């Protein structure tokens, strides 16, 4: 098995999702604004491309104006900065800014759930499982193939006749879409956090996956650090597409193919984590504290503080 699936444990990808807005103080805000500013520029690039196509002008306008302003609250007595308000487009497959916020919110929600689970079931460990399908020219067909394969993998576990997932008590997974190396064909794959007492067997999983898909056997199983689970969890909650690696035409095609589809799913004890209601930071724990409002507007390629 010479090929390796796409895993970026060293976080070399600059678009890697970060756990932002959780306990960050005012000194972290310039870095955050810089990240958001780059993402906003990426959104404008996509919007300008799709705005040239007649039927997409509505969504292009929404993406174009996404995050034109950002309102933060600085809770200065505890030095925490929270994103409080913004007009966001919510099209995370087109917009890097919304993708950052969506990833960050989901990462936080599932890390919180994991803390609750591990306190109750102390023998469970998190593992990062990656499933890939062979590259192909038709994104829709390849995505369906992956999606169907994943469903069948879980059906087989539930049928109880022996499955590489037998020891898995809970899982959360997300789909990622990119072009593969070489011919540049579509390469959808999925990353999953699986909670189990023992590491699922990679060879058994590869054999089962090949049996299910008929054409694909590249899988990967590795432990996630117990001390710093965020690092492994990030692989699952990063962007569904890599905006900076693909031309806007591919971004548009991925959106057209995948919009409305569920790209994040869960099973077992990871079920029922609520979807975030919005993409702002949660500040409920700080509700009674005084704050200063910081209002930023995107001007000349960066976020600038305004009155
Ligand atoms: Zn957006």
């Amino acid at each position: 098995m010479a090929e390796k699936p796409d895993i970026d444990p060293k976080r070399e990808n600059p678009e890697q999702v970060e756990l932002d807005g959780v306990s960050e103080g005012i000194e972290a805000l310039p870095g955050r604004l810089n990240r958001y500013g780059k993402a906003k520029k990426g959104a404008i690039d996509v919007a300008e491309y799709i705005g040239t196509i007649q039927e997409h002008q509505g969504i292009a306008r929404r993406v174009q104006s996404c995050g034109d302003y950002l309102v933060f609250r600085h809770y200065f007595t505890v030095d925490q900065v929270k994103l409080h308000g913004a007009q966001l487009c919510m099209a995370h497959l087109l917009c890097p800014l919304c993708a950052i916020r969506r990833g960050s919110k989901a990462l936080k929600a599932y890390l919180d759930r994991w803390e609750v689970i591990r306190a109750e079931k102390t023998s469970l460990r998190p593992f990062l499982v990656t499933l890939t399908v062979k590259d192909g020219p038709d994104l829709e067909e390849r995505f369906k193939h992956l999606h169907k394969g994943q469903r069948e993998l879980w059906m087989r576990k539930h049928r109880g006749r022996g499955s590489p997932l037998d020891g898995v008590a809970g899982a959360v997974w997300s789909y990622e879409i990119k072009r593969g190396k070489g011919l540049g064909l579509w390469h959808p794959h999925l990353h999953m956090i699986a909670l189990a007492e023992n590491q699922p067997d990679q060879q058994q999983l590869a054999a089962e996956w090949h049996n299910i898909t008929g054409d694909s056997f590249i899988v990967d199983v590795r432990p996630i650090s117990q001390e710093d689970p965020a690092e492994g969890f990030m692989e699952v909650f990063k962007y569904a597409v890599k905006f900076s690696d693909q031309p806007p035409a591919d971004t548009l095609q991925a959106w057209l193919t995948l919009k409305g589809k569920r790209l994040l799913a869960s099973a077992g004890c990871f079920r029922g984590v609520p979807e975030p209601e919005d993409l702002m930071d949660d500040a409920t724990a700080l509700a009674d504290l005084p704050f200063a409002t910081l209002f930023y507007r995107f001007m000349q390629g960066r976020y600038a503080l305004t009155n």
Side-chain angles (χ1 to χ4, degrees), residues 24-36:
E24 287 182 330
I26 195 78
E27 81 292 340
L29 186 57
R32 216 174 146 186
L33 287 165
N34 191 31
R35 275 204 314 279
Y36 290 174

Side-chain angles (χ1 to χ4, degrees), residues 66 89-90 95 98:
C66 178
C89 72
M90 308 298 280
C95 173
C98 289

Side-chain angles (χ1 to χ4, degrees), residues 242-304:
K242 287 202 174 103
F243 296 98
S244 60
D245 289 357
Q246 68 185 16
D250 279 358
T251 301
L252 176 62
Q253 197 190 336
W255 174 69
L256 287 171
T257 310
L258 301 170
K259 69 184 158 104
K261 292 192 168 67
R262 236 184 129 73
L263 297 178
L264 183 68
S266 57
C269 56
F270 260 142
R271 277 191 92 114
V273 175
E275 295 245 342
E277 284 171 24
D278 60 45
L279 298 181
M280 300 303 114
D281 287 328
D282 180 13
T284 39
L286 310 174
D288 297 331
L289 297 176
F291 59 83
T293 300
L294 301 168
F295 191 94
Y296 287 84
R297 186 169 285 282
F298 191 76
M299 289 186 299
Q300 292 158 347
R302 65 185 191 91
Y303 281 107

Side-chain angles (χ1 to χ4, degrees), residues 33-109:
L33 287 165
N34 191 31
R35 275 204 314 279
Y36 290 174
K38 281 183 185 156
K40 165 79 178 148
K41 271 193 236 173
I44 292 171
D45 288 346
V46 171
E48 283 177 352
Y49 172 76
I50 58 177
T52 61
I53 302 161
Q54 183 69 31
E55 71 256 43
H56 300 318
Q57 285 184 355
I59 182 79
R61 274 194 294 278
R62 263 174 55 213
V63 176
Q64 178 92 35
S65 63
C66 178
D68 276 348
Y69 69 86
L70 303 175
V71 182
F72 293 90
R73 286 183 169 180
H74 181 214
Y75 295 86
F76 48 84
T77 57
V78 291
D79 188 26
Q80 289 204 30
V81 177
K82 300 291 183 187
L83 180 61
H84 174 72
Q87 193 79 45
L88 300 180
C89 72
M90 308 298 280
H92 69 94
L93 289 170
L94 291 175
C95 173
L97 184 58
C98 289
I100 288 184
R101 292 300 307 165
R102 177 179 176 270
S104 175
K105 293 279 287 192
L107 176 60
K108 171 84 170 65

Side-chain angles (χ1 to χ4, degrees), residues 66-182:
C66 178
D68 276 348
Y69 69 86
L70 303 175
V71 182
F72 293 90
R73 286 183 169 180
H74 181 214
Y75 295 86
F76 48 84
T77 57
V78 291
D79 188 26
Q80 289 204 30
V81 177
K82 300 291 183 187
L83 180 61
H84 174 72
Q87 193 79 45
L88 300 180
C89 72
M90 308 298 280
H92 69 94
L93 289 170
L94 291 175
C95 173
L97 184 58
C98 289
I100 288 184
R101 292 300 307 165
R102 177 179 176 270
S104 175
K105 293 279 287 192
L107 176 60
K108 171 84 170 65
Y110 280 92
L111 278 173
D112 286 352
R113 171 61 71 93
W114 166 230
E115 289 305 322
V116 172
I117 295 169
R118 80 196 293 189
E120 285 172 6
K121 299 176 181 170
T122 52
S123 57
L124 289 179
R125 306 271 176 273
F127 298 94
L128 181 63
V129 177
T130 300
L131 300 173
T132 75
V133 290
K134 193 168 178 269
D135 300 4
D138 183 341
L139 175 58
E140 172 122 47
E141 182 275 327
R142 285 290 90 187
F143 178 79
K144 278 187 180 157
H145 188 53
L146 174 63
H147 196 265
K148 234 177 106 196
Q150 166 79 341
R151 274 191 57 165
E152 176 61 18
L153 188 63
W154 284 88
M155 290 299 287
R156 288 186 182 194
K157 171 178 156 68
H158 294 314
R159 281 185 209 121
R161 290 182 212 142
S163 153
L165 300 184
D166 274 346
V168 175
V172 55
W173 60 91
S174 72
Y175 294 89
E176 191 179 331
I177 286 81
K178 58 183 248 182
R179 296 245 186 211
K181 296 187 182 85

